[in-house]
Amino acid sequence: MINDPAPAAPSVSDSAPPVTGSAAGRVVAGVLVLAFAAVTGLFAPFLVMASDGCNEGDARTICSVGAQQVVGNLPVIAAFAAALLAVVGMSSRGGAGRGCLLAAPGLLVVAWVASMAIAST
């Protein structure tokens, strides 16, 4: 009884999948990116209102028609592209999914920064 051998430990399989993140984590990150895209698409185009103080012959960048179109359209296009990237990131595994989930907020930040830069000049 005292001299009984200890039971053998269960073997660990080498074919176990690597732990690289859960589906729930991808969904949470994707939903956050979708919310950021929604806020960007809805509110960033209002930066065009920076042109309200423009007078005839004003040399500021926001006072040109082209700049106003860029400031109005860039956030909407970026929000749409980021939403697509978020959906792709939520639905795919591996490096491509993570890349999409990382690229989407970066795209939105670039759209905000560019629009604000144009609106402030």
Side-chain angles (χ1 to χ4, degrees), residues 39-117:
V39 168
T40 299
L42 290 174
F43 296 112
F46 289 128
L47 290 172
V48 173
M49 287 194 272
S51 68
D52 286 348
C54 292
N55 297 318
E56 188 175 331
D58 202 340
R60 293 183 299 158
T61 306
I62 190 62
C63 294
S64 71
V65 175
Q68 291 175 5
Q69 289 178 348
V70 168
V71 170
N73 293 328
L74 180 66
V76 174
I77 294 167
F80 181 74
L84 286 176
L85 286 171
V87 170
V88 169
M90 285 190 291
S91 63
S92 62
R93 295 181 181 180
R98 282 190 299 271
C100 288
L101 284 175
L102 290 174
L107 179 65
L108 294 172
V109 168
V110 167
W112 274 100
V113 169
S115 293
M116 291 178 77

Side-chain angles (χ1 to χ4, degrees), residues 10-31:
S11 64
V12 177
S13 173
D14 288 335
S15 64
V19 178
T20 58
S22 66
R26 283 193 319 269
V27 170
V28 168
V31 168

